[in-house]
Amino acid sequence: MCRNKQISRYTLYALILSGLLMTTGCRSEEQIRIQQTAKAVRALTDARTRVVWAEDVGDNRDVFARDVQLRLMGYDSDDGKGARIIRRETANYSKPLITPRGDRVVYTDFDRELVYRIDFDGTHHRKLTRGTALDVWLDVRTGVEWVYVGRDRVDARGDPYRMVYRVRLDDPDIEELVWDRRVVGTDNFQLSANGKRASGVFPWPNAGVADLSDGSWERLGNGCWPSLAPDNSYLFWIFDGSHRNIAMFDTQNDRRWEMRINTAPGIDGYEVYHPRWSNHPRFMTMTGPYKHRVGGNNIRGGGPDVEVHIGRFNEDFTEIEAWTRVTESDRAAFFPDVWVESGLTLLTERTDEEPVVKREKPADTWPVVQDNLVFIWEDRSRNNEINDQRSGEIIMCQVEPEGKARYGRFFDMDVRHDRFVAENAEERLVEQFRGSPEFAFEALITPSGTPSDTPGLIAGMSEGPDRRNFGLVQQGDTLYFELRLSPNDGSSELEGRASARPGTRGSASLQEEGEDHATPIQQWELFPLEANEPNHIIVSYRPGKLSAWRNGVQQVDQEVEHGDFRNWEVVPLLFGNDLDDHADWPGWIEGVALYNRTLHPEEAAMKYTRYVERLARREHPESAVVEARLVLVTEIPTPESIEPYRRALTMNEYEVLEVKEGNMEGDRILVAHWVIMDDRILDTAERAPGQIYRMTLEFFDDRPELEGEWLAMESDDFLLPTYFDIDS
């Protein structure tokens, strides 16, 4: 018995020793990995580097950091610990940020809208303020660190905020309002070194740079995850809808170029996410690869393979010249922020620097004179803002496509298939015009195809032909103008005015102060339009006088009824069709302006001249008609899976069988097709592998309006020529 017990004891000792040796071996392997990662990070940045991120301890799919199954993680290249837990308690750690000195972390509990602060070593955890943390910034003149927070969240796509405050990190009772001119999204509101400018979406998908010193901003493109260089170079990027590339902008010298960022080892061409500039201009971070498709893209799929990567720009910022991976685990890593110690040194050296080259406004600035301007929509690439003459507020004028309407090659409204609607404009416009007896409308319109015998609404405030405040209408090749006029007391109607159609229609009246007002809609024939040619149109009214210009030349100058707009109805501002879909007008529209004043011949001529200068610089790309066999089809997403986007394209791979018209490159090509518009899958979206399709194609890069649109693709052959199916 004793011998057996002794043998058992020896066996137990051996097992314990074996386990200790195995554990020591595992620890050695882990230490080797930690050392290798630290060496790689140091080789990339040549400085001490820290990283924070939110780790998903749930299903690895909380890509937007909205759930509570997250853990706050950190990494320090110089402490020998590797990736480690900063705060073990599972909670919501939305968008963690390393403070400018690198010693603390700020994060947000998103649902509760509370901002917290914690030391990098996990100590001194405390609630800081209310809101959502957007960025952190150091004022090197005073040594004060600030946290910029968004407040007053808007119930809209992208969860934007109406106001941005900055709060002192060490004294959160001190705060200052820094932005309230436009709603702004969270990713990425990021400041320049001097604190004067910030990147952002204003709101999504309008990406650009805000000037915090005067409250202005410049729209630079369409997309998500914009980012601003942390020095004063004002370099800026926008992340594209395929989640693989960024468009880089030199905002001071008006230059722009594309850059792939899914080239890091281990990404293998898959999608990436959470791109963000570090505190040093040469380094950025992102997460990936995203391999698991959910709906139409891989982002929502998350997955255990999603790791944190750091990239180093070359000196010209034209490509990422080197990458390294920071994390390696079976838990997804989201929302990384990178701090490089030499970036802090660079910040203190360059804060007072300003760019030498200042970009001048283009000579063709339009609309020249902005007095009494109440609505403007130049094109989608512009800010489209006005200073409200009554409130003094900055008003954003925005239009949205409905149905199959889309933006054209020149960021114009393409209304050949459906209409555009101005957002939240009707009440303000009615108020503006009720208080003025004068009206003017301006637009550049290009009719397409053969003129219709039925009236088509080009633009107007309308719910139908009998509920219309004003309307620019084409019937046949002739342009008409319609205006709801309430006769002035004591005025007499003029007889014998020129009109090709009945001059007055009855209308539903608007009840105002208990009275029933007769509000007839007047109609005037203006002049013929040129099909498939740009027509610069201005129509102006003051009591007793109607004037109209085409391409800077006055065509109409006639006496008409005296009236005003006191009985205008609150109806939407529409382009391309009425709400009843019985007034379809096919064509393109841009350069829209509404004034509550009269325009004069000299101003009309000047406006046209400015647009001619702009049109003269436009390039019209070549197209090709091909027959091609579908080789690889991309799965069509669901509208729910692409939110907050409302439109989507898919990229399919084809084998070219015959070029019917024009010229093109390659026997194998990638072609982008529209598959979702206005949150609906198109009838033409489905395509079958092996089938032959006839398509009219243009180079994808020649269609800048597609930049930033949601794009899904299965093919990983990124070197194939890429086209856009213009008939999709």
Side-chain angles (χ1 to χ4, degrees), residues 602-615:
E602 298 80 10
E603 185 179 354
M606 186 166 24
K607 288 176 178 292
Y608 171 65
T609 299
R610 291 294 174 89
Y611 241 101
V612 167
E613 294 170 358
R614 181 173 299 176
L615 295 174

Side-chain angles (χ1 to χ4, degrees), residues 327-429:
T327 61
E328 186 177 0
S329 73
D330 59 355
R331 309 309 311 172
F334 302 132
F335 283 91
D337 188 38
V338 171
W339 176 88
V340 181
E341 191 169 33
S342 56
L344 178 60
T345 304
L346 195 64
L347 171 67
T348 59
E349 292 174 351
R350 295 189 177 181
T351 295
D352 292 326
E353 288 185 6
E354 287 286 350
V356 176
V357 180
K358 294 291 185 181
R359 184 154 59 120
E360 296 181 357
K361 290 185 177 181
D364 64 351
T365 299
W366 173 89
V368 189
V369 180
Q370 299 197 18
D371 297 346
N372 292 81
L373 182 64
V374 296
F375 183 88
I376 185 172
W377 193 85
E378 195 168 350
D379 60 53
R380 197 190 190 193
S381 71
R382 313 286 174 157
N383 286 10
N384 300 317
E385 292 179 335
I386 61 171
N387 287 299
D388 187 83
Q389 61 191 34
R390 297 188 177 187
S391 67
E393 297 179 356
I394 300 294
I395 302 295
M396 176 177 61
C397 302
Q398 190 163 323
V399 300
E400 285 295 326
E402 289 195 348
K404 296 180 181 179
R406 61 200 70 182
Y407 296 99
R409 175 188 294 114
F410 304 112
F411 302 98
D412 47 355
M413 291 183 264
D414 180 350
V415 294
R416 291 175 298 165
H417 307 286
D418 224 313
R419 65 174 163 261
F420 275 71
V421 180
E423 287 196 335
N424 304 317
E426 52 266 37
E427 291 187 7
R428 184 180 60 82
L429 290 177

Side-chain angles (χ1 to χ4, degrees), residues 228-292:
L228 188 67
D231 55 8
N232 292 323
S233 65
Y234 301 150
L235 287 175
F236 168 85
W237 83 54
I238 302 175
F239 193 42
D240 77 346
S242 71
H243 306 131
R244 292 174 170 87
N245 311 284
I246 58 173
M248 184 74 79
F249 296 79
D250 178 350
T251 63
Q252 298 305 298
N253 299 298
D254 201 18
R255 293 192 304 117
R256 175 190 179 283
W257 58 96
E258 300 284 337
M259 191 185 311
R260 285 184 60 192
I261 61 170
N262 66 335
T263 56
I267 297 296
D268 300 326
Y270 283 101
E271 296 176 41
V272 296
Y273 211 54
H274 306 115
R276 181 176 172 85
W277 233 306
S278 76
N279 72 319
H280 191 297
R282 290 288 298 278
F283 305 102
M284 60 89 69
T285 185
M286 67 178 190
T287 62
Y290 290 83
K291 300 179 178 180
H292 304 281

Side-chain angles (χ1 to χ4, degrees), residues 493-507:
E493 292 197 19
L494 298 172
E495 297 180 356
R497 71 177 180 279
S499 178
R501 295 189 287 165
T504 304
R505 288 202 310 266
S507 170

